[in-house]
Structure formats: structure tokens, C-alpha cells
Amino acid sequence: MTNKTIFDPLAVCRENVKKLSPYSSARDEFSEHKQGLTFIDANENPYGDGLNRYPDPYHGELKEKLSVVKEVPAGKIFFGNGSDEVLDLLFRAFAEPGSDNVITLPPTYGMYKVLAGINNVENREVQLLDGFQIDTEKVLKSIDEHTKMIFICSPNNPSGNLMSENSVKTLLENFNGLVVIDEAYIDFTPADSWSKALSEYANLVVTQTFSKAYGLAGIRLGILYASPEIIGILNKIKPPYNVNSLSANTAMTRLENIRVVQDQITEIVANREQLIKALLEVDFVTEVFPSDANFILARVDDATLRYRQLLDKGIVVRDRSSQVLCEETLRFTVGTTEENQKLLKALQELKTT
Ligand SMILES: *Cc1c(COP(=O)(O)O)cnc(C)c1O
């Protein structure tokens, strides 16, 4: 089945959203970048260095720039105030509160469940298999006519692995709703982004972020790639100025200096591999999971104890033990070379205790 021909996002979006016409802002009608015009349409203070003006609601320039870097057409790009807003807008556009459901695949990023709760949408959890891969058969069996979205995190947080291409394809080809692939950590792996497959799958949505590899968690800028039809629906419901000028300008500068980001990624990936080797040498570490991200999940003898001991030494890690398949695990973010050395020194000292 190629559902390219049959999938219609308007058919799965909420009734009220289908009927909406978006709020038309002053900057919708006349973009700030049009030269030679006198702007007395938006009740802005006329004095200032640019920040006195409302931003372009669609950030066209930034989309053009990102389009070149990521090789995705600008018309298939959408921005939000962090991935968190992007994901929330997907719920608000496509999942009817009180009747629809989504499928999530624990252990995974906690935000999908939180957003399902906030939006009063049932969260159907289908646990990953051993090895943190997708149980596609079980996912397909869990789908009913009210299932609107499946959330796949790849590389997955907290396990660090990519989901197999075949399992993702199976879901894309056999589910008549949105398959949302969260690629927050995609820059740390040589694997291709699913955004490359957008023209093959009309129900594919890919999210990325400036918060991880791009080093800009503070500016809150999330990215979504999808068909222009899906983007059109999201544009109808987004707050008009959800991404501010300071964030957009900062992102633009970072994209213009992409080499800096690439060099940092190279260093982080090299440090990750070193850290994995070093963790394997620690006697109370019983298992280290391979990682395609900038963090490492490791199983230890007693996660609560080791967490506290590391904290006593001034090192904050994440205890992931409460998640399924993650009993007695800690998650370590790859830091600077100095931070990694500090971690390893602390782990060595703990060996004997
Ligand atoms: C960190 C992270 C994000 C990023 O969220 P932002 O709101 O863009 O900062 C998204 N998804 C996953 C799985 C993450 O771990």
C-alpha cells in the first residue's frame, strides 16, 4: 500500500480545526521585509532597532536558510516555541479531546504522555521490545478508527538507539494517521533523517529542534517537517507570533556558522565513544547501551545509590529506573572533555566503595 494517494490530513484533523480560518495579523498581510513601505498598521512603537516590530509570523527567511542546510523544501517547514509547542499543536490540530487516542512507545520521551494528558487524549502505550525496537505487530493491533498519531522517537530518549527503518516503514504504510518521528538527536548519528522520505509518505511528520546539537536550548525553537497540507493546518492554529525575533535571529546566525556546530558534534560523538568504553570498565556498571545520541544509558548495580554518590561529588545525572525496561539505569549526557573526565574520575573513586 502506498498511502500517498489515499492519506488526506484534512480527513483526520479535528472538525473545528477544519472549519477555522486563521487570525489574520498585521504582519500576515504585509511582511516587515517589504522595502519602502511606511508601517502604521500594527500599533507598534515606531522607534527602535527592529525589535519594536512584530516578527514575520512564518519566519520565511529562516525557513529558506534551514531549507538549504537540511535539504527540505521551505514549504515543508514549520517552527514552534520548542518541540514541545510543535508537539502540542499536533495534538490540538488532530486529536479530538475525549474521543481520539494516540500511540506512544515506552520507554520514551515523557512529553508525549504529558501532552496527551493535557489535551485529554487517550495515550495507548505499546512497550518497546528488548533492544528498544518497535513491536510493530502490537502497534498495528492497537490502532482503531480513533487513533490519530503514533509517536516514534529516533534516536530514542532515553535508550539512545535508532528505530529500524523497516519497522518505521511498516507503520507509515499501514496506518492512516500521522506517524510522528521525533528526531531531536538526529545530528549525532550518520543515519539519514526521515525528512528525506517526505515525498513518499503523506502521513509522515518529522520533528527536530535547535535545543540539542545546535546548542540553543535557551531560545526555544522547534522544527517540524511535513507536507504543505499538514503545515497549512498547523499554521491555522498556531499563535501568530509563537517564535520571537531574538530566537529567529540567533538561529539564523547559528545556521550561518554551521561549521562550529559540525565541529562540536564531531567532538561530542568521539567523546561519547570514549565514555562508553570507559563506562564498560567500571565494575558496578553492568550494561552500557549503544548510543546514536549525545547521551548514554547504562545499567548499574544500584541506581539510587550511584545517583546519590555522584550527586555528593557534584555530578548530576538522570536516573531512568522508573521507566519500563530501564530498571537500575542512569543516563549520562556527553559533556565537555573536562566534564567527562570528572565523571570518570568520580566513577573510579566509587569503584572501591
Ligand atoms: C530534548 C528533546 C526534545 C527537545 O524539546 P525542545 O522543546 O525543542 O527543547 C524533543 N524531543 C526529545 C525526545 C528530546 O529528548
Side-chain angles (χ1 to χ4, degrees):
M1 174 172 103
T2 67
N3 61 13
K4 183 178 179 179
T5 45
I6 58 162
F7 182 78
D8 175 11
L10 275 176
V12 297
C13 102
R14 288 171 61 191
E15 277 305 314
N16 65 314
V17 173
K18 212 185 296 181
K19 291 190 211 126
L20 278 179
S21 47
Y23 168 74
S24 176
S25 70
R27 286 296 159 270
D28 270 327
E29 290 160 26
F30 285 97
S31 153
E32 60 179 322
H33 302 298
K34 290 203 179 122
Q35 300 293 318
L37 297 175
T38 300
F39 287 107
I40 48 173
D41 58 339
N43 301 344
E44 296 151 338
N45 183 324
Y47 304 106
D49 55 2
L51 291 178
N52 56 320
R53 298 293 179 188
Y54 281 102
D56 168 7
Y58 304 108
H59 293 283
E61 272 186 276
L62 186 60
K63 283 179 186 171
E64 292 297 337
K65 183 73 195 170
L66 188 68
S67 169
V68 174
V69 173
K70 294 287 185 174
E71 299 174 338
V72 177
K76 295 184 178 178
I77 301 176
F78 176 88
F79 292 127
N81 187 6
S83 307
D84 294 345
E85 184 189 46
V86 162
L87 296 167
D88 184 51
L89 288 169
L90 284 172
F91 273 93
R92 292 169 61 182
F94 292 99
E96 197 64 48
S99 56
D100 282 340
N101 66 74
V102 298
I103 295 176
T104 63
L105 313 170
T108 195
Y109 187 44
M111 213 46 206
Y112 317 134
K113 184 180 193 167
V114 169
L115 290 170
I118 291 170
N119 287 286
N120 192 24
V121 167
E122 183 197 343
N123 175 34
R124 295 193 174 170
E125 299 191 323
V126 179
Q127 201 180 308
L128 294 172
L129 301 165
D130 283 339
F132 301 111
Q133 288 297 321
I134 304 172
D135 189 342
T136 44
E137 253 177 65
K138 205 163 171 198
V139 171
L140 292 175
K141 275 193 207 135
S142 307
I143 294 167
D144 65 20
E145 70 272 27
H146 291 291
T147 307
K148 294 302 178 71
M149 294 184 279
I150 301 172
F151 289 90
I152 300 170
C153 190
S154 182
N156 187 44
N157 180 1
S159 53
N161 61 294
L162 286 160
M163 296 303 166
S164 88
E165 198 175 320
N166 276 339
S167 63
V168 175
K169 276 192 180 159
T170 301
L171 298 182
L172 280 164
E173 289 169 8
N174 293 285
F175 173 51
N176 202 35
L178 299 182
V179 175
V180 183
I181 307 178
D182 183 339
E183 294 186 339
Y185 300 99
I186 194 67
D187 301 289
F188 298 106
T189 152
D192 262 347
S193 165
W194 279 94
S195 61
K196 298 281 183 290
L198 279 174
S199 46
E200 283 168 67
Y201 300 104
N203 58 339
L204 170 61
V205 174
V206 178
T207 66
Q208 293 180 358
T209 178
F210 279 82
S211 296
K212 303 287 159 59
Y214 283 73
L216 293 173
I219 72 169
R220 313 304 306 128
L221 187 55
I223 310 163
L224 178 146
Y225 306 109
S227 70
E229 290 75 23
I230 292 172
I231 305 266
I233 292 169
L234 294 171
N235 276 336
K236 286 213 286 188
I237 68 165
K238 84 178 189 75
Y241 306 113
N242 59 329
V243 173
N244 71 69
S245 308
L246 294 171
S247 296
N249 294 346
T250 305
M252 190 67 148
T253 305
R254 188 58 53 101
L255 291 174
E256 283 162 356
N257 297 287
I258 198 74
R259 277 298 304 272
V260 177
V261 176
Q262 284 160 348
D263 290 349
Q264 288 174 352
I265 291 170
T266 304
E267 186 173 319
I268 289 167
V269 168
N271 284 345
R272 174 186 77 202
E273 296 311 308
Q274 279 197 342
L275 200 52
I276 287 176
K277 276 196 201 128
L279 281 167
L280 284 166
E281 301 293 312
V282 179
D283 59 356
F284 59 80
V285 172
T286 56
E287 197 170 7
V288 181
F289 297 95
S291 173
D292 271 290
N294 67 334
F295 56 81
I296 300 158
L297 188 72
R299 184 162 275 130
V300 296
D301 55 350
D302 182 342
T304 309
L305 172 70
R306 303 306 179 182
Y307 175 88
R308 220 172 329 103
Q309 288 175 331
L310 285 170
L311 196 56
D312 287 342
K313 292 179 178 292
I315 298 172
V316 186
V317 302
R318 194 98 157 110
D319 185 348
R320 296 284 71 191
S321 303
S322 61
Q323 292 224 38
V324 287
L325 300 174
C326 297
E327 296 75 23
E328 307 299 344
T329 58
L330 299 177
R331 193 191 64 196
F332 303 90
T333 305
V334 181
T336 62
T337 305
E338 296 73 44
E339 287 171 335
N340 299 337
Q341 275 162 1
K342 185 179 169 190
L343 169 66
L344 288 175
K345 184 167 166 278
L347 291 169
Q348 297 305 325
E349 286 167 7
L350 293 181
K351 256 188 193 178
T352 46
T353 58

